[in-house]
């Protein structure tokens, strides 16, 4: 039973930590092993009775998949996931972590849920394999479809398969059993709440209703593409398979900084199935862990990996910058006007509180990696990219392809998470394009999980020194922030941002950056804000503590908006704020605490075109070249059109993510919903106007006298009516097209305020924090779809909890290697870490326009959790994530910053 | 994944012959595939054991001993009625390991023989001591999850969460080669890096684990696993405790420290084994000394035993905080064994 690998058998060699050659390829510096052993004869094969020797080569064998007997040809090393996706075209099972940590690849093997990425395909021969595609008629499919159990949707097929097994084992699972049963599936968007609801419904149990019954235009239906996502039919860039497609991958520097000493290109080129190997001379001096020092393109991902190993790259680690604290000198003394102003302001303070906060680097960890597929045609190209900016991605491909935009047909109909990190084509898209041109074959380049952590963007870390004064009534009179932002190997991307939710008086805000030998930051859902919110909201609570006041009173006194004061009152009632005890006084070792945080967001963005096509059949198709990063862009097209035309949403199609559609905005800054909703309504109005004109002509009346309501055309002041379908049959050509361009004047009224409350349990013996309940109250103007709105709110909270408790990039201090570049040691919140979440859509009659919610809904979560932890413990944890190590240290130090 | 020659053993005999011939055994394959994907280790020939039904399942032998086939999956173990009755802490440990999907693949034997999860060992770029290199990178590097006890020159913690339970229950492992079988007590199976750098146990290259035997069910048992993340995560500390029969126990019996052997008694009484804190399941003689002579655990006794369990700890530069978790795991496991609510 021993998996005794032979590493220990090699002769020990002397390697000191710095300055010496370090091996990257296995063969370097060790007894040379053939990198690829296929083709060798198995020693002693056939000599052992009862031993069925399969060898190493590709071979045909039978697999029973979804009840059908299929013949596949694969080497023994091929995983079941590889064969399902690359030979059988069953791409519902996803490769996200490739190590059994995320569950995206889950299939049933003889009815038992397993990770297909950790199962050899040959071992599945003779057994019943069931993939998500084989479960379309089984629960929990309907449950998840009814309850909007998907955002980006990339992870959802894995949840469906595991959910199927769970319902088989436990037909009526409790909420706790559902969480435990799904503990092997990760969702980065934070859809857990709706997945739990879907499983409850699928098992015939009641799902608690939210308080948002009629807050939205559409209050019953889920996102329009929910079934495609739940059944695994939705195709992401990672799922695209083209005839003759090649796979590309970068060779990466394994340490923080240093020199690439040597490599063996010939050995790599000799690996069967390898098409192109290139090492980059200009990357000899590597500057960050994950630095792209070359690339390999081959017929299969395995061939590419074999070649990277055969390269036997030798590197010298030297001069890695890995620990921010070693490069941080603290806040400089204030001088001049700024110093005088702050001094004057703080003179009126009854209390002055100070603290130093730190937050760690957080990687986006999109479950679909960054990547692209590019295929050249004659004077044309077709491309697929995993992106939140279809237009920008296509523009970025023009140079590498040498083609003008319209000659590139670009697709991104589904994207497996972006969170701010997926705009242009990036290195993956550029390599795919250049290689497709060079090699004349379709090329797919997707980051592997390690590359995704190293080089897929991140939220920079921060060290924040705060000083804040308040008068005896609790009014804040002045504040000072000095922030050092922990960024990548080049300057840029680091900033702590603050929501304008409290009057802070005169404020001095200086920021610098600390560069480490690591990947560059990229925008991450509310860039700079969660880290700023954590510190600001903590300071508010420290002011309250210093004055002996309730933290909510301090928020009310300093509030910049009555809307948020009302949210405070409502949230306090929902969380049970009256149960909150003075700091640290909850009895027992495990202490309950309550905390609060608030946020808002700006309203900006421009540029969006929409077409609403009304077909003669009465069917309506709405088109936008925008993409859906999981927020429900298609659903906005459909539900706004349905609302404007008064026809059922089932008769309307939402079409996005293709470059031939009218240009849409990039999804950054939470702009998409507002731009798309506003423009869709205008385009629907245009279509309605044209259709009304046809009806008016038919009736021989002035167009102004034709009114459409509830799907019925009426003559104003007359008796004539026409059903929707009858009116559409008047269209003389194939269709009529309503068009609109975004008009700022049509965006209506709305607010973006968010208030959150957390209830936590803090174990003072172990330092382990568990979030028990969260209340999130989000204004968003006129909500379009209740379920997608709630789903996104809960997702914001879940990402915030993950940031508050778990996420931390770990660089090796001496060498700068990233030690947790996987989904095993880089921890994102899983099902058992998800509290009960109460999402409240804060909608008033004055709210008429669609407003952004994606970012404000995640900003104050970590702050609310941190304040709840401080209340429970009686000491503050000044650093995120609040790991057991940090919590125990805070208890030991008595909470001093 | 790295390429390899593959064969499937149709019988126990074939598996033994193949392993003796140098084929690397694959049970559930979870740990082995991890190695192949990371391209660490040398496994050119792999033999799949999954067709050998006789090495799967748990049975109660006449006389009450329990015999577990090493190919029993963690999922099966956690649901097995015999195990749940006789050694519920083993079922609990199996039911909490990894993820539901991994538990459906991973086997008992694989769990016991898996290689360390040390994040230097698991990266090809770090040619560490365990891989034949000259450095334990954890010493100067990031060692928050490394050994608190028994480390050096390599500082891994043993990753198996079943192992402490089996050590506490005084299980025996049957190791078989073509030359025959030997029985090694769980308490002697795991070895420190100071004794053996390349392997974490005494399994020889030509041997296969063919049975896990629990001769006597403990009179009481408890298991606690403390994790940072409640979903899939490697524990920060675990503890398995048992009260074994036929020991020098009895109401009011006084046992002095000098009567308890430093290695701990194999004759009975309380056995305290910590997991995820040392390169092997770490049996705490000092804690057992505190408990010796006591039939029942009280809150106060659990506190004293938990304090004693930390004796001899040698924390590294970044991991002393985990002593608090180790202590908590010991205290809580003792309370759990007694069925006491934590205050």
């Amino acid at each position: 039973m021993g998996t005794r690998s032979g590493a220990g058998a090699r002769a020990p060699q002397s390697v000191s930590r710095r300055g010496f050659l370090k091996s990257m390829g296995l063969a370097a510096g060790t007894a040379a092993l053939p990198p690829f052993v296929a083709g060798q004869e198995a020693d002693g094969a056939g000599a052992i009775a009862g031993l069925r020797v399969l060898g190493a080569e590709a071979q045909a064998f039978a697999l029973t998949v979804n009840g059908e007997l299929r013949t596949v040809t694969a080497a023994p090393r091929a995983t079941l996931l590889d064969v399902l996706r690359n030979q059988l075209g069953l791409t519902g099972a996803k490769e996200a972590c490739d190590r059994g940590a995320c569950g995206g690849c889950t299939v049933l093997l003889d009815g038992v849920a397993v990770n297909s990425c950790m199962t050899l395909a040959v071992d599945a021969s003779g057994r019943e394999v069931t993939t998500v595609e084989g479960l379309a008629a089984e629960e929990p499919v309907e449950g998840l479809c009814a309850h909007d159990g998907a955002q980006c949707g990339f992870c959802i097929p894995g949840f469906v398969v595991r959910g199927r097994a769970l319902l088989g084992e436990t037909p009526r699972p409790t909420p706790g059993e559902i969480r435990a049963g799904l503990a092997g599936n990760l969702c980065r968007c934070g859809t857990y709440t709706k997945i739990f609801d879907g499983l409850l419904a699928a098992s015939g149990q009641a799902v608690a209703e939210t308080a948002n019954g009629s807050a939205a235009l559409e209050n019953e239906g889920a996102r329009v593409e929910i079934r495609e996502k739940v059944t695994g039919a939705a195709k992401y860039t990672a799922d695209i398979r083209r005839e003759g497609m090649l796979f590309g991958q970068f060779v990466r520097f394994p340490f923080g900084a240093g020199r690439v000493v040597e490599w063996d290109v010939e050995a790599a080129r000799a690996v069967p199935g390898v098409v192109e190997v290139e090492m980059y001379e200009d990357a000899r001096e590597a500057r960050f862990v994950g630095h792209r020092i070359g690339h390999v393109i081959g017929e299969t991902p395995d061939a590419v990996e074999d070649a990277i190993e055969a390269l036997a790259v030798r590197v010298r680690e030297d001069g890695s910058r890995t620990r921010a604290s070693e490069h941080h000198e603290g806040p400089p003394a204030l001088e001049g006007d700024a110093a005088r102003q702050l001094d004057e302001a703080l003179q009126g303070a009854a209390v002055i509180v100070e603290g130093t906060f730190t937050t760690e680097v957080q990687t986006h960890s999109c479950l679909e990696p960054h990547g692209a597929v590019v295929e050249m045609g004659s004077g044309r190209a077709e491309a697929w990219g995993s992106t939140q900016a279809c237009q920008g991605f296509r523009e970025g491909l023009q140079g590498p392809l040498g083609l003008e935009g319209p000659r590139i047909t670009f697709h991104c109909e589904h994207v497996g998470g972006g969170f701010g990190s997926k705009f242009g084509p990036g290195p993956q898209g550029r390599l795919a394009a250049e290689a497709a041109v060079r090699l004349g074959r379709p090329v797919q380049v997707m980051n592997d999980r390690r590359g995704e952590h190293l080089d897929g963007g991140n939220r920079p870390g921060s060290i924040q020194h705060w000083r804040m004064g308040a008068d005896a009534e609790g009014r804040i009179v002045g504040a000072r922030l000095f922030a050092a932002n922990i960024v990548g190997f080049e300057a840029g991307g680091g900033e702590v941002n603050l929501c304008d939710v409290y009057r802070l008086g005169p404020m001095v805000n200086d920021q610098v950056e600390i560069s480490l030998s690591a990947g560059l930051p990229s925008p991450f859902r509310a860039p700079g804000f969660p880290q700023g919110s954590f510190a600001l909201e903590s300071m508010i609570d420290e002011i309250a503590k210093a004055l002996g006041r309730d933290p909510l009173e301090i928020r009310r006194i300093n509030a910049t908006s009555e809307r948020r004061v009302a949210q405070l009152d409502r949230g306090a009632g929902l969380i049970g704020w009256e149960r909150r005890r003075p700091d640290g006084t909850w009895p027992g070792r495990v202490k309950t605490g309550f905390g609060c945080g608030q946020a808002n967001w700006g309203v900006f963005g421009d540029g969006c075109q929409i077409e609403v096509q009304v077909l003669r059949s009465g069917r309506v198709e709405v088109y936008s070249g925008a993409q859906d990063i999981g927020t429900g862009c298609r659903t906005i097209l459909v539900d706004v059109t349905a609302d404007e035309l008064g026809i059922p949403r089932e008769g309307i199609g939402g079409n996005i993510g293709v470059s031939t559609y009218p240009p849409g905005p990039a999804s950054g800054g939470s702009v998409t919903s507002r731009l798309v909703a506003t423009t869709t309504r205008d385009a629907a109005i245009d279509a309605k106007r044209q259709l009304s004109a046809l009806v008016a002509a038919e009736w021989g009346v002035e167009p102004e006298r034709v009114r459409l309501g509830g799907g019925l055309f009426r003559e104003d002041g007359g008796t004539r009516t026409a059903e929707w379908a009858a009116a559409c049959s008047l269209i003389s050509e194939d269709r009529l097209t309503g068009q609109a361009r975004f008009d700022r004047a049509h965006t209506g009224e709305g607010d973006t305020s968010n208030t959150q409350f957390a209830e936590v349990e803090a174990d003072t013996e172990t330092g382990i924090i568990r979030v028990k309940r969260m209340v999130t109250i989000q204004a968003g103007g006129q909500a379009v779809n209740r379920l997608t709105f709630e789903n996104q709110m809960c997702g914001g909270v879940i990402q915030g909890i993950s940031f508050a408790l778990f996420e931390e990039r770990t660089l090796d201090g001496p060498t700068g290697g990233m030690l947790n570049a996987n989904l095993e040691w880089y921890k994102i919140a899983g099902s058992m870490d998800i509290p009960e979440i109460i999402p409240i859509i804060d909608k008033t009659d004055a709210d008429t326009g669609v407003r952004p919610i994606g970012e404000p809904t995640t900003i104050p979560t970590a702050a609310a959790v941190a304040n709840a932890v401080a209340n429970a413990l009686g000491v503050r944890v000044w650093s995120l994530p609040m790991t057991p190590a940090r919590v125990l240290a805070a208890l030991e130090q008595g909470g001093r910053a | 994944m790295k390429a390899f020659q593959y064969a499937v053993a149709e019988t126990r005999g074939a598996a033994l012959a193949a392993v003796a011939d140098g084929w690397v055994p694959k049970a559930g394959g979870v740990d082995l595939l991890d190695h192949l994907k990371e391209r660490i280790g040398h496994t050119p020939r792999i033999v799949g054991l999954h067709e050998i039904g006789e090495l799967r399942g748990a049975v109660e032998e006449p006389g009450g001993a329990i015999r577990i086939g090493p190919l029993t999956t963690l999922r099966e173990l956690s649901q097995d009625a015999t195990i749940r009755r006789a050694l519920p802490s083993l079922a609990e440990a199996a039911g909490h390991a990894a993820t539901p999907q991994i538990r459906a693949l991973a086997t008992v034997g694989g769990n016991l023989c898996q290689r360390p999860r040390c994040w230097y060992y698991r990266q090809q770029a770090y040619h560490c001591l365990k891989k034949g290199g000259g450095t334990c990178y954890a010493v100067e590097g990031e060692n928050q999850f490394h050994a608190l006890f028994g480390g050096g020159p390599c500082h891994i913690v043993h990753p198996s969460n079943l192992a402490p339970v089996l050590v506490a229950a005084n299980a025996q492992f049957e190791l078989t080669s073509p030359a025959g079988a030997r029985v090694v007590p769980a308490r002697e199976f795991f070895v420190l890096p100071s004794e053996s750098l390349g392997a974490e146990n005494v399994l020889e290259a030509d041997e296969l684990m063919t049975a896990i035997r629990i001769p006597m069910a403990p009179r009481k048992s408890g298991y606690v696993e403390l994790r940072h993340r409640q979903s899939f995560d490697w524990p920060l500390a675990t503890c398995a405790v048992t009260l074994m029969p036929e020991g020098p126990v009895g109401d009011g019996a006084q046992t002095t420290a000098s009567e308890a052997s430093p290695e701990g008694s194999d004759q009975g009484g309380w056995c305290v084994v910590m997991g995820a804190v040392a390169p092997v399941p770490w049996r705490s003689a000092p804690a057992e000394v505190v408990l010796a002579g006591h039939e029942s655990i009280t809150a106060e006794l659990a506190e004293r035993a938990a304090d004693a369990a930390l004796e001899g700890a040698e924390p590294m530069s970044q991991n002393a905080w985990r002593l608090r978790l180790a202590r908590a795991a010991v205290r809580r496991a003792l309370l759990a064994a007694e069925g006491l609510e934590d205050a």
Side-chain angles (χ1 to χ4, degrees):
Chain A
M1 205 68 33
T3 49
R4 174 165 302 177
S5 48
R10 262 177 253 131
Q13 58 168 186
S14 166
V15 178
S16 77
R17 296 227 37 141
R18 278 184 179 273
F20 278 77
L21 293 182
K22 294 196 169 79
S23 70
M24 183 178 167
L26 179 71
T30 67
L33 297 170
F36 189 68
V37 300
Q40 295 176 353
E41 283 305 311
D43 299 335
I48 298 169
L51 188 69
R52 203 163 71 243
V53 177
L54 305 177
E57 298 294 348
Q59 50 204 276
F61 56 93
L63 270 185
T64 306
V65 181
N66 299 329
E68 272 184 62
L69 194 65
R70 310 281 295 264
T71 300
V72 299
T73 301
R77 69 163 155 174
T79 62
L80 180 56
L81 178 63
D82 178 4
V83 167
L84 291 173
R85 289 176 60 79
N86 293 324
Q87 290 205 31
L88 300 178
L90 296 168
T91 55
K94 303 294 191 241
E95 180 181 322
C97 78
D98 199 30
R99 295 295 186 279
C102 77
C105 66
T106 304
V107 301
L108 300 181
L109 204 52
D110 292 338
V112 177
V114 301
N115 305 99
S116 64
C117 77
M118 299 303 285
T119 304
L120 298 183
V122 288
D123 286 355
S125 187
R127 307 177 68 180
E128 291 280 341
V129 179
T130 309
T131 70
V132 69
E133 289 88 349
L135 294 174
E138 293 188 46
E139 288 290 15
V141 166
E142 294 308 319
L144 261 61
C145 285
H147 288 272
D148 198 45
Q151 291 185 49
C152 86
F154 195 75
C155 67
I156 295 302
F159 276 93
V160 170
V161 179
R162 177 54 202 151
R164 173 65 254 151
L166 171 63
L167 294 176
E169 294 156 9
T170 315
R172 284 177 69 83
T174 64
E177 286 168 335
I178 289 174
R179 281 170 168 79
L182 299 177
N185 292 76
L186 292 175
C187 168
R188 185 47 156 169
C189 299
T191 310
Y192 297 101
T193 312
K194 294 300 183 191
I195 295 170
F196 299 160
D197 284 352
L199 274 159
L200 279 175
S203 55
Q205 303 184 74
V207 176
E209 284 186 17
T210 62
N212 308 319
S214 59
L217 297 178
E218 168 58 49
N219 290 293
E220 300 299 325
R223 68 195 58 225
V224 295
E225 76 283 4
I226 187 72
R227 192 167 297 276
E228 287 168 73
K229 286 179 171 172
V230 170
T231 58
K235 293 281 183 191
Y236 298 76
T237 301
D239 300 329
I240 299 300
R241 296 289 178 271
R242 308 293 293 178
E243 185 71 33
M245 189 177 86
L246 298 168
F247 297 84
Q249 194 57 260
F250 289 105
V251 186
R252 295 184 182 278
F253 193 74
F255 303 113
R259 187 165 172 78
V260 187
V261 179
E262 61 181 28
W263 55 71
D264 187 347
V265 169
E266 291 316 311
R269 287 188 179 134
V271 171
V274 169
V275 174
E276 179 175 285
V277 180
E278 190 183 335
M279 293 297 289
Y280 308 151
E281 279 297 336
D282 61 359
R284 279 272 189 184
E285 300 298 332
R287 300 180 63 196
F288 71 100
V289 56
H291 199 136
R292 298 173 297 276
I293 58 176
H295 72 253
V296 174
I297 292 168
E299 303 282 350
T300 65
D302 275 336
V304 171
E305 287 180 25
D306 288 339
I308 291 175
E309 184 172 7
L311 274 169
V313 177
R314 289 169 72 97
V315 303
R316 181 184 294 122
E317 184 277 322
D318 189 23
S320 302
R321 289 167 60 96
T322 58
R323 287 176 176 152
S325 59
E326 292 172 4
H327 305 281
H328 178 59
E329 291 164 355
L334 276 185
E335 291 172 359
D337 285 352
R340 203 179 58 249
Q341 273 182 5
L342 191 65
D343 280 347
E344 280 172 16
L346 292 181
Q347 265 171 12
V351 292
I352 293 177
V353 296
E354 291 183 295
T356 297
F357 301 85
T358 65
T359 64
E360 292 293 330
V361 173
Q362 177 190 27
T363 71
H364 291 71
S365 295
C366 308
L367 289 191
E368 183 187 31
H370 289 63
V373 176
V374 181
E375 177 170 346
M376 288 300 292
S378 170
R380 304 194 56 84
E382 194 152 13
W384 293 257
S386 183
T387 183
Q388 52 197 91
C390 283
Q391 212 175 309
F393 202 109
R394 187 180 68 160
E395 279 167 15
L397 292 177
Q398 293 179 76
L401 291 174
L403 292 172
E404 292 292 325
R407 296 245 156 219
I408 307 167
T409 305
F410 180 78
H411 308 260
C412 178
E413 293 176 51
H414 300 283
V415 50
F419 315 111
S421 68
K422 288 182 178 170
F423 286 96
Q428 297 77 25
R430 285 193 296 274
L431 174 58
E434 289 162 2
V437 171
R438 250 191 330 263
L439 302 171
R441 289 173 64 179
V443 178
Q444 181 181 64
V445 181
M446 306 294 298
N447 265 349
D448 60 11
R449 181 53 45 192
R450 185 174 167 72
E452 197 63 11
H453 279 296
L454 298 176
D455 192 25
N458 59 66
R459 184 190 295 286
S462 70
I463 304 171
Q464 302 175 51
H465 300 274
W466 277 81
R467 191 157 180 249
M468 185 182 278
D471 67 17
E473 273 69 58
R475 275 187 290 271
I476 298 165
V477 296
R480 153 105 163 119
L481 163 62
F482 175 77
N485 296 287
I486 301 158
V487 300
F489 67 98
E490 286 178 346
E495 192 174 13
V496 166
N497 285 316
L498 301 171
C499 293
D500 173 27
V501 288
Y502 309 117
R503 282 185 295 271
L504 301 179
M507 179 164 181
V508 180
N509 180 343
D510 301 317
Q511 306 204 13
V512 297
E513 287 183 338
I514 299 172
S515 274
L516 298 183
S517 309
L520 299 176
S522 60
F524 194 160
R525 199 170 184 175
F529 286 91
Q531 51 270 53
S533 172
F534 160 60
L536 172 62
E537 298 284 349
S538 296
M539 291 298 285
I540 299 284
D541 271 36
E542 289 297 307
I543 293 275
K545 189 175 182 177
L547 289 168
R549 301 276 293 275
D550 184 310
L552 302 189
E553 281 180 51
I554 304 298
R555 286 177 172 78
R556 287 190 191 98
I557 289 168
N558 293 291
T560 53
S561 147
E562 285 304 312
R563 185 74 172 249
R564 281 186 294 279
V565 172
Q567 290 185 342
L568 280 176
D569 296 339
R570 190 171 180 191
L574 288 166
I575 200 76
W577 190 255
E578 72 284 355
R579 292 186 292 134
R580 184 180 190 268
R581 299 195 183 196
D583 291 349
T585 60
W586 198 276
R589 285 189 170 92
V590 180
K591 297 181 184 302
T592 294
F594 297 85
C596 175
Q598 300 192 283
N600 66 347
W601 196 247
V603 176
F604 45 85
D606 205 346
C608 177
Q609 297 177 37
I610 301 282
E611 277 185 21
V612 174
Q613 296 185 357
V614 181
L615 311 185
R616 289 190 69 195
S617 64
R619 174 90 190 157
V620 176
E621 296 291 343
V622 189
Y623 292 88
S624 166
Q627 55 292 315
D628 182 0
I629 56 172
T631 56
C633 182
R634 268 186 201 84
T635 305
I636 286 176
L637 297 181
V638 170
D639 286 339
V640 169
T641 303
D643 183 67
E644 186 58 41
L645 300 182
I647 60 173
R649 69 199 299 255
E650 291 72 25
I652 305 170
N655 305 274
I656 62 166
V658 182
S659 58
T660 52
Y661 300 164
S667 295
S670 301
V671 303
T672 309
S673 294
R674 171 172 159 270
L675 297 176
V676 167
T678 304
T679 315
T680 299
R681 191 170 291 281
D682 283 352
I685 289 170
D686 185 40
K688 190 163 79 173
R689 184 187 51 73
Q690 295 179 46
L691 204 50
S692 297
L694 292 179
V695 173
E698 177 76 6
W699 289 344
V701 301
E702 295 297 308
E704 294 73 35
R705 288 184 54 196
V706 176
R707 296 284 153 87
L708 173 61
L712 194 69
F713 290 87
R714 287 192 181 79
E715 183 187 2
D716 201 11
T719 58
R720 277 182 288 199
T721 63
E723 298 283 344
W724 173 261
C728 293
S729 69
L730 299 173
I731 299 170
S732 61
E733 291 154 323
D734 177 57
R735 59 183 179 264
L736 66 77
T737 301
Q739 290 178 310
R741 225 173 239 283
F742 175 68
D743 185 341
R744 186 179 302 274
H746 295 175
T747 53
E749 298 298 319
D751 193 281
T752 61
S753 293
N754 178 278
T755 299
Q756 296 190 19
F757 284 83
E759 176 182 345
V760 306
E761 282 181 2
D763 187 333
T764 56
E765 188 181 21
T766 63
I768 296 168
I769 307 294
R770 300 198 64 174
V771 182
K772 304 302 286 185
R773 285 170 79 232
M774 291 286 307
V775 171
T776 174
I777 304 175
Q778 178 72 56
Q782 173 60 60
V784 174
N785 180 288
R786 177 177 67 84
L787 287 169
T788 60
F789 196 111
E790 291 172 355
N791 207 345
Q792 201 175 354
M793 285 174 79
C794 293
V797 167
I798 289 165
Q799 281 197 348
I801 290 172
S802 196
F803 178 60
L805 299 184
F806 302 122
E807 296 187 43
E808 180 169 13
R809 181 186 70 190
T810 304
L811 299 179
D812 179 47
T815 66
M818 181 174 169
L819 300 178
N820 58 347
N822 50 45
L823 288 176
E824 173 187 337
W825 287 102
Y826 187 89
K827 300 174 193 179
I828 65 175
S831 58
M832 293 179 81
D833 308 295
I834 308 306
E836 178 196 353
I837 302 174
I838 301 168
I840 303 292
I841 301 176
D842 176 12
K843 158 93 169 63
T844 69
D845 290 342
D847 293 323
T848 54
V850 171
R851 287 294 177 271
I853 69 159
E855 285 166 297
T857 203
T858 199
I859 291 170
T861 310
V865 171
N867 281 334
V869 169
N871 172 236
L873 297 176
V875 301
R876 182 162 294 281
V877 183
W878 298 89
S879 299
L880 299 184
M882 291 179 280
T883 59
R886 292 195 176 95
V887 171
L888 291 172
L891 284 166
E892 232 154 65
Q893 294 160 10
R896 290 181 301 275
Chain B
M1 191 189 310
K2 195 172 173 65
F4 52 87
Q5 300 279 342
Y6 193 49
V8 176
E10 293 165 351
T11 63
R12 183 175 182 274
L16 289 171
V19 170
D21 190 40
W23 293 75
V24 174
K26 179 176 88 63
V30 177
D31 190 42
L32 188 55
L33 262 59
D34 257 341
H35 281 77
L36 291 162
K37 289 180 178 214
E38 297 292 343
R39 295 180 179 246
I40 52 177
H42 178 57
T43 48
R45 291 187 297 152
I46 292 172
V47 55
L49 308 181
H50 51 278
E51 291 185 8
I52 308 169
E54 66 182 286
L55 293 180
R56 192 159 177 171
V59 292
E60 190 163 358
E61 295 177 343
I66 294 164
R67 188 181 176 91
I68 303 168
L71 293 177
T72 310
T73 65
L74 300 188
R75 178 176 182 272
E76 290 161 351
L77 191 70
S78 68
Q79 296 171 348
D80 187 275
T82 304
I83 300 295
R84 290 171 76 104
R85 179 174 42 77
L87 191 53
S89 55
L90 185 63
E92 196 182 327
H96 281 95
T99 74
Q101 289 94 317
I102 292 291
R103 292 197 292 272
L105 293 168
T107 65
V108 178
N111 181 275
L112 295 171
C113 296
Q114 66 184 307
R115 305 303 309 271
R117 303 301 306 188
C118 166
W119 51 20
Y120 295 101
Y121 171 74
R122 294 275 166 174
Q123 264 196 55
Q124 197 188 48
Y126 292 93
H127 192 53
C128 73
L129 284 178
K130 202 161 258 309
K131 291 185 281 194
T135 305
C136 174
Y137 291 87
V139 174
E140 287 179 42
E142 310 309 310
N143 53 40
Q144 53 266 51
F145 303 121
H146 285 79
L148 297 165
F149 298 87
C154 154
H155 294 267
I156 59 158
V157 295
H158 201 277
S160 167
N161 63 349
L162 302 186
V165 181
L166 292 170
V167 170
N170 204 8
Q172 298 179 329
F173 299 154
E174 181 186 275
L175 313 180
T176 306
S177 73
R182 60 175 175 143
V183 173
V184 175
R187 293 171 183 182
E188 294 166 21
F189 180 72
F190 302 100
V191 290
L192 288 170
S194 53
E195 298 165 43
S196 163
L197 205 47
E200 295 76 46
N201 54 56
V202 300
L203 190 72
E204 296 290 339
D206 65 348
E207 283 180 324
L208 201 59
M209 183 183 287
T210 45
I212 294 102
R213 204 164 162 273
I214 302 162
M216 286 182 293
R219 293 169 57 199
K220 298 175 182 175
S221 74
Y223 177 74
V224 165
E225 184 170 319
L226 297 174
R227 302 167 163 189
H228 176 199
R229 183 169 62 170
Q230 302 312 305
S231 305
F232 169 43
D233 203 357
W234 294 94
L236 300 169
T238 75
C239 183
V241 301
T242 55
L243 177 63
M244 296 303 291
E246 293 177 40
V249 290
D251 287 337
Q254 294 295 306
T255 309
T256 63
S258 61
E259 284 170 331
S261 89
E263 292 81 31
S265 166
D266 283 346
Q267 298 307 308
W270 287 99
C271 182
V272 177
V273 185
M274 290 182 279
V277 299
V280 297
W282 191 257
R283 191 168 171 197
S284 175
E288 291 175 14
V289 167
V290 169
L291 298 168
H294 293 274
E295 169 77 15
S296 297
I297 300 295
T298 63
E300 180 272 336
L301 191 59
E303 296 275 0
R304 282 202 291 127
D307 281 335
L310 303 187
E311 279 178 30
E314 300 170 301
M316 303 174 75
S317 59
Q318 299 176 355
N319 69 4
W321 57 276
R322 269 182 37 248
L323 288 171
R324 299 274 298 270
L325 285 118
R327 187 191 180 284
V330 172
R331 193 183 69 78
R332 292 178 188 189
L334 287 167
L335 295 181
E338 198 60 48
L340 292 175
E341 287 287 312
D342 198 0

